[in-house]
DNA sequence: GTCTATAATGGGATAGAC
DNA sequence: GTCTATCCCATTATAGAC
């Protein structure tokens, strides 16, 4: 495999498991099997690496959302899949999704990284708002409020639930926190 | 003022603004006006300091909840006050409440600190569950689901909303994320 | 209780050979 | 692209004088 890709993979896993401050060039070098000074050839600074990491992640996430949208299913089904993405990312409570991990490490991030992070959050709430607006049409979600409020609440709920589960090193808090949300989604329906 | 108290205050503010890794003995020493080696007289290690900090915080929080309970108001009013605690702690987006800041810095915490943190989360969900159970009696909250699920969802929502707002350095995401929650609470009623 | 002085460690980054 | 060697900095922590 590409050394550059191996470095990105190592960094992403470390950040998701131990946070931005828990990832160091020394650790990555040991992981990949090169010396730490060699990393600077691929990524001049730590901020450069973080920037490319979040860009790669955002692209993957966008494509995951497109895939969800490609299926012509009810809005409730899309929201169920969206919750599943966050639940899967937890890996049983051992890691966060990259965006939550970076949000939690805000104080250590360079400005350009912070900008991309907020862009990521905006893209997420935009997609959620569109989906909740669709739900108001297909009536697949119960107790609907304003779509913008629902979108922000859903993102906060899922990110907060990840944080709780990671603190407890257990999926349980995530499942409890999202149970009420899931129960508002109507049963799957192949329209 | 007590040097010990001044050190705790300085540490708490630093952690809430910049995270657990953004607080150092050097910074505290400058804040308080002593040399950093003198800090070890009051707190042998950084973990000792963190432990005493979270204990102090948990005691303050418990007393705030008792004060909320002391007023014989509807459950919805108590939940509104609870949301207000988290909103006020944000200080316009410049800091988190200590428990969220520590949750976000999980990877750097010593085991005893992590234990207290999870204890704090349990106390919080217990109080919320009792309050949602009361809401099922006084009918002051609309769209009620299972009290345990509501409790975990509310804590995750508030902590996640703080995280979003801190990332954006703005209260706005917090207000949007909690708007739907607030709208479920019936208007104030002096019973 | 506070000071000076000093470990001991680990972090990101650079220069220059190969 | 990767290496060795080195730099510079910040961090927590300790010893011992006052």
């Amino acid at each position: 495999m590409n050394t550059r890709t191996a470095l990105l993979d190592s960094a992403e896993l470390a950040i998701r498991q131990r946070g931005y401050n828990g990832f160091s060039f020394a650790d990555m070098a040991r992981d990949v099997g090169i010396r730490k000074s060699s990393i600077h050839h691929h990524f001049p600074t730590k901020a450069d690496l973080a920037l490319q990491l979040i860009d790669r992640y955002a692209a993957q996430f966008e494509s995951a959302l497109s895939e969800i949208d490609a299926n012509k299913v009810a809005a409730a089904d899309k929201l169920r899949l969206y919750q599943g993405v966050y639940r899967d990312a937890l890996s049983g409570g051992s890691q966060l999704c990259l965006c939550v991990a970076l949000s939690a490490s805000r104080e250590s991030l360079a400005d350009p990284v912070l900008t991309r992070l907020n862009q990521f959050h905006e893209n997420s709430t935009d997609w959620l708002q569109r989906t909740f607006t669709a739900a108001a049409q297909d009536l697949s979600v119960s107790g609907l409020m304003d779509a913008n409020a629902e979108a922000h609440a859903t993102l906060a709920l899922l990110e907060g639930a990840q944080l709780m589960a990671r603190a407890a090193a257990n999926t349980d808090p995530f499942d409890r926190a999202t149970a009420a949300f899931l129960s508002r989604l109507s049963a799957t329906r192949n329209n």
Side-chain angles (χ1 to χ4, degrees), chain A residues 26-103:
Chain A
D27 292 338
M28 290 170 59
R30 202 175 329 106
D31 264 18
V32 173
I34 59 175
R35 297 295 174 159
K36 64 174 180 169
S37 61
S38 306
I39 300 177
H40 292 279
H41 172 74
H42 302 277
F43 310 99
T45 71
K46 212 182 170 186
D48 291 317
L49 202 171
L51 214 53
Q52 304 206 32
L53 206 51
I54 196 170
D55 281 345
R56 184 178 78 156
Y57 191 80
Q60 287 169 354
F61 205 88
E62 282 295 317
S63 116
L65 292 187
S66 295
E67 199 170 318
I68 290 179
D69 279 335
N71 303 320
K72 275 243 176 278
V73 293
D77 294 319
K78 295 184 182 180
L79 292 170
R80 218 186 328 265
L81 289 170
Y82 190 82
Q83 186 263 5
V85 170
Y86 276 82
R87 190 183 192 283
D88 291 345
L90 258 182
S91 295
S94 66
Q95 55 186 40
L96 301 168
C97 84
L98 186 66
C99 55
V100 178
L102 288 178
S103 295

Side-chain angles (χ1 to χ4, degrees), chain A residues 90 156-166 171 173-175 177-178:
Chain A
L90 258 182
L157 174 69
L158 292 176
E159 301 220 350
Q162 275 207 353
L163 206 60
M164 300 291 93
R166 179 70 188 115
T171 317
F174 183 90
D175 288 332
T178 58

